[in-house]
Each structure stands twice: as structure tokens, then as C-alpha cells.
Amino acid sequence: MDMSVLFDAGVVGLRMLMPLYAIVIVYQCYAAMRRRRRPEKPLVSLYNPKSGGMIPVVFWENAIGRSKSSDIVINDMTVSKNHCVLLRRSKGWFISDVGSAAGTFVNGVKIRGRAQVLIDDIIRVGNTEYQLKRGDDFNSPLRSSWFFSKVSDKPAIQAWKLMLMITLFHLFMAVEAMFWNDGTNVFSPFILFGALAAVEWGFFSVSYFALRRVNFELESLGLFLTGIGVMMLVRQVERSAYVQLIAAGLGIALYCVIIKFIEDPDRADKIRFPVMIIAVLMLASSIVLGRVTNGAANWVYIGSISFQPSEFVKTLFIFIGASALDKLQTKRNLIEFIIFSVVCVGLLALMSDFGAALIFFVTFLLVVFMRSGDIKTVLLPVGSVAAAFVALRFFAERINFIGDRFNYVLNRFKAYRHVWDYANEAAGYQQVRVLTYIASGGLFGVGIGNGYFKQYFASESDLVFALVAEEMGVIVAIVAALAVALLMIYARAIATRSRSTFYSISSCCAAGLLVVQLSLNIFGATDILPLTGVTFPFVSCGGSSLISCWGLLAFIKAADERTYSMKR
């Protein structure tokens, strides 16, 4: 048999294998996240001497009050809606009054601020008393979270095996890229792969052997997506691939620093205000020093180095929006965050970076909802933005020129849902090509480097979904998108088992931010939403974006109860 036939068959077989292999990797990552969990049981319990009833305390922070949104609801009219918070810290259990009318008492003494409570101490809220008991004193079964309710007894895949699977996937990408030859070094993909593998296994070694962490699934997922983005660049702009790899190393370093720093939620709360000032100054620097790129003044250049301050502020925004529960229920905390959010969104609007402004706004809504638990609290800001969108869409069809930057945005709205009418104009040129080359890639792609979409502007960044779909196939592109999207479900599941509302809020909002960014990227590029020019998390080329994504991933990791409590 002709060797060329075998060669071609091998190439086709590899392209068909990659999508199935990607599905297996993402499945194994999420399947492992459900395992190695502690059994669901109370940490302590509250015994009512009068009624004889006992309430299990399953969270590290528990809101106590008359409100239905409280973790422990007390039907006593002398109890405030938000009365106090029972919380666990490294030194034991504490109770903190949050401005109740009747006050909170421990063993008959009215408390101010936080007061420590010991087993058998009497806590009085309003006219109701509870005695703090051990968790083992509560004998009734607890209802498990749905995500962990049907966990198999089968052990999770070992971390090194999962890493080996991911490394082989990236190796297969290098093999695919080798088949594309434009006169450059045929071994370039393997050199890049070697550098990528060194970063991946170096990170794994530090986590597994130095820090002795028992779980590495979330990090594996991040490395899987990051590796796809790096390897896609090898036959497009090889230098950018190495820059992206350096950014990945910086992002991983930031990831480790954040996890260590927020180990104590109270320590994180102490620097909340200084971080707020830093975030505002970073955004303001874009207005003063920023250079207009693609209609938005969000890039700052220092010599040959360019970065987007708004990407780093995403991480700070989540940090500022989350707090420990007893701090969270104070009016001052909420007012500070609202003012900060308005300033951030306003500065982004001044830059004409409406994609980032929308991401920040939706994240603000997530934080507000997580803090209040009431959907009605988000209806007013949503209604206001919806009205602004309708007005902008109306004027986009009637105004010919309103400044260069704002006109750039209006043109995108004019072409929205009509990109084929603007196929040869700037307003619809990119999206028409995106749709064309997604279709040309089919299910299994044409091979890394063999696509034509890489010749178009922003194919490696804002429009990378089309590049992945064309060269690796629609299946791989969708799997990569699902790998990010499912983080929201995972974050929601672990939020109920987190040590603090700081972790619960920050993890859900970080995952929500990534999903919103993913949605704007994919749906904007495919004309389901207006094109906003935001990146595909972890995969798009862009050092600022990649570093920010790893920073956000740290908040999700911190919310996992295994992160701080378990060692091998």
C-alpha cells in the first residue's frame, strides 16, 4: 500500500480522534470534582430548650433572623429580619450582631461586634434562646446538594493520569500542526509543546508534591484550555504563542497568590478599601494613557509591552464585591460597592469599552443577587440597561456620526442581525467570515494551520471560536465552550459547602463573569448578540485576559472545601 495513503489516513484519523478525546478530558475533570468529598453532616447544632427542637448548622457562616432568606429562620417578632451571624473561624465559633433592634446575648451578656461562643453556651436573639451543641448531637439525616447527592463510590481519576491525558492532547495538536508546512521550521510545534508541557507539569509538581493538595481537577481544566490557545498560535504567530505561554505562567503565579491570600476571609476584608482605590486608578489610567484600539481606549502601552487594565480589574471587582457574612449585611458595605460599581462601569463607558462595561454590570447584578437572595433587587438596574439598549439601537439606525469611537459602536448595532447585508463593510465583515469558516471546518476541522480564517483580523483573539471550529472542528470548539460554561454549575454546587460567604459569592460571581464573557464572545461573533470584542476565556490570545482568567479561577478553587482543609 502506498505510504502516502497511510499517511493521509493517519491524519484524518487523528482529526476524528481529537474531538472525542476532548469530550473525555472535560468529562473526567468534572466527574473528579464530585468525588473525595466529606460526608454531609452538621458542624454544630442549636438546641431550643423550650421546644426541644434542634437545628443543624451546616455552613461556616449562618445568617440568623426573621427573614425567609436567612439560613436559620426564627419566627419571633422580637427578632430582626437580619439579626445576627453565627460564624466559624480558625479560633472557634463566633456570633456577630448586625444592627438588630433587640440585640444579641451570649450567656445573658449583650455582645458588641464579634463574640466567641463555646459548646453549651446560651445564645439569645429576641425572646428566643438556643444552646450551642456539637454536630454529632443532631441525628437526623441531612439533604445533600444535588451535585453531590448521587456521587459514585468509584474513586476519582488520579491527578497525574488526568494531566497525562491533557499533555497527550496537546501533543496531538503539535502533531497536527507539523503537517502544515509553509517553509518555517517543521519542528516548531514540538518545541512549543515541550515548553508548554514543562509549565503544566511544573505547576502540577508544585501543587501535588510541595503543597500536597489532594485535588487538581480545576487546574487541569484551566491548563487544558490554556494549552489549546497556546498551540493554536504556533502556525499563526509563533512569537505570540510564547508570549501567551509566559502570560500563562504569570496567571498561574497570580492564581497561587490569591488562593494563599484569601485563605483567611477576614484578612481579605481588611484591605478591601485600598483595593477599591487601586481598581479605580487602574481604570482611570486607561482614560489618561490609553490608546484607541478597535474603537475603545482600553490599551495602555509601555514601550513594546501592552496590556488592558480593565482585565486585571475584573479580579479586583470580584474581590471587592465579596465579604464575610457579618460584614456583608451592613448598609455601609453595600453602599460602598454600589458606588464603586457605578464608577467602574462609567469609566469603561468613557473608554467606549462597552463589552467590558456589560461584563462588569452583569457581575454587579450577580453580586447583588448573591448578597440579597432576592430577584427583585436586580429588576430595576436590568430595566434601566434594557431601556438604554433600546434607545441605543433606535439611534444607531438614525445617527450617521457621533464621534469616531461611539460611531464605531453604533455601526455594530446597525449591523446586528443583518451582517449579511454588510458582508463587505466593516460593520459585518468579520461576522460573515466567522460564520463561513465555522461551516467550512465541519465537525472535525481541517487541521491546525490548514485553515484560512487565521488570515483575518482578531482571528486569534476576539474571534478565536471560529478559528478553533475551522481548524479543530465544531465539536472541539463546543467542548471548549462547555468546559467554561459548566464552571457556573460547579461553582453553584460548592457554594453551599464553602467556609464563608466570601468564597460563595466570589466563586459564583467569578464563574458567572467567565460565562458572560464566553457568551458575549461566541454569540457576538456569530451574530446572535451584537459584536462586543471580548475574549474567549483561557483560549483567546491576550496576556492580560489569560492572567485575569487564572485569577478568577482562584476564587472558584478557594470555594472548594477541599482546598484548605485536606492534604494528602
Side-chain angles (χ1 to χ4, degrees), residues 2 23 42 66 133 164 170 187 226 229 252 289 325 361 366 429 449 451 456 472 524 567:
D2 191 350
I23 293 173
R66 203 175 71 250
K133 292 290 186 180
L164 183 60
H170 296 152
F187 296 108
T226 299
I252 290 170
L289 305 173
L325 190 58
F361 175 73
L366 287 171
Y429 185 85
Y456 292 92
M472 299 193 70
K567 300 277 187 179

Side-chain angles (χ1 to χ4, degrees), residues 234-268:
V234 69
R235 290 307 189 191
Q236 188 168 15
V237 185
E238 188 177 345
R239 179 181 179 276
S240 296
Y242 286 99
V243 172
Q244 188 79 347
L245 187 56
I246 293 171
L250 295 174
I252 290 170
L254 176 64
Y255 171 90
C256 296
V257 169
I258 290 176
I259 289 178
K260 181 60 180 178
F261 185 80
I262 64 177
E263 183 176 4
D264 181 0
D266 294 333
R267 178 175 59 189

